[in-house]
Amino acid sequence: MTVNDIKHARIKAWIEECVKMCEPDNVVVCDGSTAEYDRLMKKCVDAGLATPLAKKPNSFLFRSLPSDVARVESRTFISSVKEEDAGPTNHWIDPKELKATMKGLYTGCMHGRTMYVIPFCMGPLGSPIAKYGVELTDSEYVVLNMDIMTRAGEKVWEYFGTDGDFVPCLHSVGKPLNNGEKDNGVWPCADVEHKYISHFPEERLIWSYGSGYGGNALLGKKCFALRIATVIAREEGWLAEHMLILKLTNPQGEVKYVTGAFPSACGKTNLAMLIPTIPGWKVETVGDDIAWMKFGKDGRLYAINPEAGFFGVAPGTSAQSNKNALEAASKNTIFTNCALTEDGDVWWEGIGYPAKGKLVDWKGNTRDALPKDKSPKGEEFAHPNARFTAPAKQCPCIASDWESPEGVPISAILFGGRRPSTIPLVHQSRDWNHGVFLGSIVGSEITAASTIDASQVGKIRRDPFAILPFCGYNMGDYFQHWIDVGAAAAKRGKEDKLPKIFYVNWFRKDEDNKDLPGGFMWPGYGDNSRVLAWIFDRCDGKDNYVDTPIGFMPKEGALNLDGLDDVYKAQIPAITAVDKEGWLKECKDIRENHYPKFGKHLPKELSECLDDLESRLNKA
Ligand code: SAT
Ligand code: MN
């Protein structure tokens, strides 16, 4: 099929306009077939950009350039007409100015390259919650990844019809090849100052230039499914969230679905694929990164995973931390910036075993492997943001209904962060608005490992709803949208159908206790199922809680601790208590350093929650 065969006039016209601007050598409309995948992968291998892995069937390793290894927040723009609509936490450039700059960059940017047209669907095909897009890209790597991460190709056209809604997504690596020049095995991208990851929310348009990596380039993910989708969701009265979706089954065979938002490095993918340590319980995965949630006729909130694959962080993924993810990425997988072993496998720090012999590191240098599975900072064999792109259907714990078009009904929403002090193992919000308050204060403590600025260590880096870098409009208005969603449900008389909201913290620390590995007071991983089980019962209204100044917490004996190591059992009183002094300090930090950022956009309901929390603590 060629561009001329496209029945949707607006899509066709938009492609023609982009072709004129970018001047590719060829235009290919992707069909999403295996033959096409194999052909494009071979092109990458022949160009020296990809290495086939002898140890993993149909799997390949790519190495990017050190200047293109992650999202670039400083080059990510919400280009709304009014600056105020982008809000205090997004970068903004006037759309006219940004478009003029980017048109300059896009002009002739695809010389020597092919423009691929990728029609794609975010969500199960035909789902009433799904949305459609078309990505134009000059990167084969992007086509291959989009093939895994979305439903892409010929099968999608029928859902566009001749005039259906679509989000136009234009992408270029920003490296034209003039006069027969070749990539010569070097990852193509532009210098950092020429990278632009731009969103035009009023037009629901995405323009990305200069990066080939992850969320900068696979535009269905953070750009569409979060930044543009948050804008659409607000207008249409639903929720587009940076959340995992898991299916929880109790020993009686009863099922509940849970979503959860956690800042990066909190084990979100691990939680989505958890293997419970308590007998009879089962966790299955619906999604590991993004949830789109809409109200059903019954007043419940239904979630779909808009993605079809996992773009997971490789380092730290081991048989102990996430066996299911390893299995998902055991074949038909694209690895990026992992290390390569002599026998044709991938390796990364935290994989659970040392590598043997020599390794080719992510920069392409051959070095002797270390006798352990850790490396000094800066000398890693795999880049700390090395990734695997794996089809979700390969995950052994994928839920049978993960592609249910109507979505799965959500009973509970979790928030969490890395908080070595103050925040208990689990507490439940009193009501919806208090839950929104909990989402708004999400954050992780800054450690020496996460900053180069020693004065920041110990402070809380707030990442409300874990969506700060992914919200396409003013974060204050985003909080208001969550408040409004609850109010609308109440107005419909369906308040009791809203999901219950919980704050969890797997990361409490007691550095002085040498019996605790890493000082962590809770073992985490599979033992988090103990907390999920309490939450499950809470959703059924069981009398398993005590009312405290901060919300509802497990009453004594309500957490299933069977088989938990004694050293952790001894921590339970401390991690399930209210730390009054710590929480008063928390309130002060929110009042002085967090909420003022949102100015008049901060909903009054959230200030009221803060006042209420403080007065309850003072009375306690
Ligand atoms: O590169 S992505 O944006 O897809 C992943 C991430 O940074 O969370
Ligand atoms: Mn994410």
Side-chain angles (χ1 to χ4, degrees):
M1 161 173 190
T2 68
V3 175
N4 269 331
D5 303 319
I6 295 173
K7 303 274 188 299
H8 190 298
R10 280 183 299 128
I11 293 180
K12 193 163 160 239
W14 168 68
I15 297 171
E16 282 163 354
E17 197 185 306
C18 293
V19 169
K20 220 161 131 194
M21 176 165 71
C22 301
E23 300 172 0
D25 284 11
N26 313 292
V27 181
V28 168
V29 180
C30 296
D31 62 14
S33 65
T34 309
E36 178 182 82
Y37 186 94
D38 295 346
R39 181 166 48 79
L40 293 182
M41 189 61 89
K42 183 171 183 302
K43 197 169 167 185
C44 293
V45 172
D46 291 346
L49 294 165
T51 309
L53 297 169
K55 287 284 177 175
K56 290 199 163 48
N58 193 32
S59 299
F60 300 83
L61 172 67
F62 286 76
R63 280 181 215 111
S64 77
L65 280 187
S67 61
D68 201 30
V69 291
R71 284 185 293 106
V72 272
E73 280 173 26
S74 61
R75 306 299 306 163
T76 300
F77 301 95
I78 301 300
S79 189
S80 40
V81 173
K82 286 199 289 192
E83 181 168 9
E84 189 172 357
D85 290 335
T89 56
N90 282 312
H91 296 287
W92 178 85
I93 297 178
D94 178 85
K96 283 205 191 78
E97 180 191 332
L98 182 56
K99 281 202 170 166
T101 307
M102 290 190 74
K103 274 185 186 161
L105 293 166
Y106 276 135
T107 300
C109 72
M110 295 191 184
H111 282 179
R113 296 190 188 278
T114 299
M115 177 192 277
Y116 298 95
V117 177
I118 314 169
F120 67 94
C121 172
M122 299 309 291
L125 279 173
S127 158
I129 311 179
K131 300 260 175 213
Y132 298 85
V134 179
E135 177 160 352
L136 307 182
T137 180
D138 54 4
S139 161
E140 286 82 17
Y141 172 84
V142 166
V143 179
L144 295 163
N145 276 269
M146 285 290 284
D147 237 8
I148 298 175
M149 294 304 296
T150 72
R151 284 91 177 165
E154 206 144 88
K155 56 186 181 280
V156 182
W157 285 119
E158 63 176 287
Y159 299 94
F160 284 105
T162 53
D163 197 33
D165 282 346
F166 76 105
V167 172
C169 309
L170 175 59
H171 171 254
S172 171
V173 294
K175 180 89 179 58
L177 297 168
N178 292 311
N179 312 318
E181 193 189 342
K182 294 232 155 35
D183 283 323
N184 277 328
V186 179
W187 175 271
C189 63
D191 298 337
V192 170
E193 65 269 26
H194 291 130
K195 293 189 208 287
Y196 287 89
I197 320 301
S198 306
H199 309 73
F200 302 93
E202 285 92 353
E203 287 176 78
R204 300 181 180 183
L205 168 71
I206 300 164
W207 273 10
S208 166
Y209 182 91
S211 168
Y213 204 90
N216 301 333
L218 315 177
L219 302 185
K221 196 175 178 60
K222 308 294 189 184
C223 296
F224 180 167
L226 288 173
R227 298 195 192 96
I228 293 296
T230 49
V231 173
I232 300 175
R234 180 189 179 204
E235 277 174 34
E236 297 179 355
W238 52 279
L239 298 166
E241 300 301 326
H242 189 209
M243 289 182 179
L244 63 87
I245 311 167
L246 65 80
K247 178 179 187 175
L248 189 56
T249 307
N250 73 3
Q252 289 71 48
E254 293 157 350
V255 170
K256 292 192 199 303
Y257 298 89
V258 176
T259 63
F262 299 82
S264 57
C266 287
K268 193 165 132 207
T269 300
N270 297 346
L271 182 64
M273 300 177 190
L274 166 152
I275 301 170
T277 52
I278 44 176
W281 288 80
K282 193 158 75 179
V283 167
E284 292 162 291
T285 312
V286 177
D288 80 325
D289 197 35
I290 300 174
W292 283 357
M293 299 187 276
K294 264 189 193 171
F295 287 99
K297 286 201 186 67
D298 59 0
R300 299 191 70 185
L301 204 47
Y302 286 80
I304 62 161
N305 170 10
E307 301 190 280
F310 307 123
F311 186 64
V313 178
T317 306
S318 68
Q320 194 239 331
S321 70
N322 197 337
K323 202 162 154 255
N324 287 316
L326 282 184
E327 185 64 32
S330 63
K331 55 185 177 190
N332 309 316
T333 295
I334 298 171
F335 295 91
T336 310
N337 288 345
C338 300
L340 177 67
T341 66
E342 282 173 322
D343 60 354
D345 205 347
V346 279
W347 186 89
W348 49 76
E349 282 73 13
I351 200 169
Y353 53 85
K356 289 192 200 76
K358 295 203 181 296
L359 283 176
V360 183
D361 69 15
W362 70 274
K363 291 180 181 164
N365 299 317
T366 303
R367 293 192 275 150
D368 289 328
L370 298 178
K372 49 187 180 187
D373 93 333
K374 275 214 270 286
S375 300
K377 205 169 155 49
E379 293 172 33
E380 293 89 353
F381 286 85
H383 186 276
N385 191 39
R387 298 277 173 161
F388 55 82
T389 317
K393 60 172 187 282
Q394 291 184 179
C395 183
C397 63
I398 199 79
S400 57
D401 48 357
W402 79 283
E403 296 192 278
S404 155
E406 63 278 10
V408 294
I410 302 303
S411 297
I413 298 174
L414 315 185
F415 296 113
R418 272 184 182 260
R419 297 297 306 268
S421 68
T422 311
I423 313 289
L425 179 62
V426 58
H427 69 296
Q428 182 188 354
S429 77
R430 293 180 187 289
D431 53 32
W432 181 262
N433 285 357
H434 181 215
V436 178
F437 168 79
L438 294 180
S440 80
I441 67 168
V442 163
S444 287
E445 189 169 300
I446 301 174
T447 64
S450 63
T451 181
I452 47 166
D453 178 358
S455 72
Q456 294 296 308
V457 173
K459 291 191 180 154
I460 311 303
R461 178 175 291 146
R462 304 273 171 197
D463 182 1
F465 289 75
I467 208 171
L468 207 57
F470 308 118
C471 183
Y473 62 99
N474 189 310
M475 265 312 279
D477 297 341
Y478 168 93
F479 296 150
Q480 187 65 55
H481 176 53
W482 267 78
I483 300 280
D484 293 347
V485 160
K491 211 166 144 198
R492 291 193 299 268
K494 303 279 192 196
E495 202 170 5
D496 60 323
K497 299 280 193 278
L498 284 168
K500 307 287 180 279
I501 303 180
F502 300 82
Y503 201 114
V504 298
N505 179 22
W506 322 129
F507 299 98
R508 277 291 284 273
K509 274 190 154 187
D510 178 359
E511 307 271 10
D512 298 332
N513 188 337
K514 298 295 169 227
D515 295 333
L516 298 169
F520 288 106
M521 299 166 82
W522 179 249
Y525 301 109
D527 284 309
N528 292 338
S529 58
R530 301 173 190 279
V531 175
L532 293 179
W534 182 78
I535 288 170
F536 187 105
D537 289 343
R538 224 35 312 277
C539 293
D540 280 338
K542 288 227 175 99
D543 176 24
N544 60 351
Y545 71 101
V546 282
D547 192 344
T548 80
I550 62 167
F552 307 136
M553 294 172 75
K555 83 175 180 195
E556 213 181 316
L559 278 176
N560 181 344
L561 303 179
D562 291 350
L564 183 69
D565 202 296
D566 282 344
V567 68
Y568 292 115
K569 276 190 187 150
Q571 310 305 316
I572 294 295
I575 63 176
T576 59
V578 178
D579 171 4
K580 179 176 164 180
E581 291 317 309
W583 271 100
L584 282 170
K585 249 178 77 190
E586 182 82 11
C587 290
K588 187 166 180 288
D589 184 54
I590 296 164
R591 198 181 290 287
E592 289 176 3
N593 302 317
H594 182 44
Y595 275 180
K597 288 183 285 222
F598 307 103
K600 67 176 175 38
H601 290 263
L602 184 80
K604 65 173 188 335
E605 289 83 352
L606 294 188
S607 308
E608 286 164 9
C609 281
L610 180 59
D611 294 343
D612 180 62
L613 172 60
E614 215 167 32
S615 87
R616 283 173 193 265
L617 285 162
N618 279 321
K619 273 191 238 141

